[in-house]
Amino acid sequence: MNSTVEYIKEWQKALQIEIQHVKKYGSTRYRVSNGHLLSSSDLFSYYFETTVSIRVPVGSMIRLVWGGIEQEGRVLSSEGKSIILSFEKSLGDLISEAFLYHDPWELLDNLISRLDEIKKKQTKTNSSKTFNGSLYASQAPDCRRLNQSA
């Protein structure tokens, strides 16, 4: 029978294969328009409209391309036919039309990292049960109860 750690390793290997496929065959491209600056404190937030309803997870890395300029940013909100993005640099006040690229492999990579955390916790739990004897202690009778009933 396979252990949890072995299953996690298999999942991670499958996710790596999926990441390579997604990287090789490209990003998802969306046309965005009517972009305008919402705020400019530490980051520059922009609102855009889209021609189709898009679903890009909040926090995902994106690339925005317009004219000869390309800028990386993050998704702050994505709902229906509108999206709010944040950038470290200003893109100006208005952007009439641009292309948004989303690379979903980043989410798969985050999942691999989370599986690593689970694998480490699972290994620690198994080793502490073995070394402390707690694996068997939970199955042993309570000696205090035996002494009281005698």
Side-chain angles (χ1 to χ4, degrees):
M1 187 166 110
N2 286 344
S3 71
T4 303
V5 173
E6 289 170 345
Y7 281 122
I8 291 172
K9 286 179 183 177
E10 288 179 32
W11 292 334
Q12 288 177 312
K13 187 185 293 185
L15 289 169
Q16 287 291 353
I17 292 167
E18 183 69 18
I19 287 171
Q20 293 307 315
H21 176 80
V22 173
K23 282 183 175 181
K24 183 176 180 179
Y25 293 103
S27 307
T28 306
R29 181 177 106 158
Y30 301 100
R31 188 177 144 260
V32 294
S33 59
N34 300 324
H36 61 273
L37 180 65
L38 293 176
S39 67
S40 59
S41 53
D42 292 342
L43 297 172
F44 297 87
S45 301
Y46 287 84
Y47 171 88
F48 289 93
E49 296 172 358
T50 61
T51 56
V52 295
S53 182
I54 63 173
R55 293 178 193 260
V56 180
V58 171
S60 295
M61 291 289 295
I62 53 89
R63 287 180 296 123
L64 190 71
V65 178
W66 75 105
I69 301 170
E70 182 173 327
Q71 185 70 39
E72 290 188 0
R74 287 206 178 269
V75 175
L76 295 180
S77 174
S78 172
E79 191 172 313
K81 293 184 176 184
S82 63
I83 189 163
I84 299 175
L85 308 173
S86 72
F87 300 94
E88 291 183 2
K89 298 178 182 176
S90 174
L91 311 176
D93 290 336
L94 299 173
I95 299 171
S96 60
E97 185 175 278
F99 288 100
L100 172 75
Y101 292 88
H102 172 241
D103 298 317
W105 63 265
E106 177 193 9
L107 299 173
L108 298 173
D109 199 38
N110 289 341
L111 181 55
I112 289 173
S113 298
R114 291 185 71 192
L115 287 170
D116 270 336
E117 293 170 15
I118 293 169
K119 191 168 52 173
K120 288 175 188 172
K121 287 179 184 176
Q122 185 69 30
T123 304
K124 285 181 184 178
T125 303
N126 287 343
S127 63
S128 68
K129 284 182 181 178
T130 303
F131 292 126
N132 295 335
S134 63
L135 180 63
Y136 303 105
S138 64
Q139 298 169 356
D142 187 353
C143 294
R144 290 176 290 172
R145 284 188 179 168
L146 292 176
N147 290 336
Q148 290 173 352
S149 63

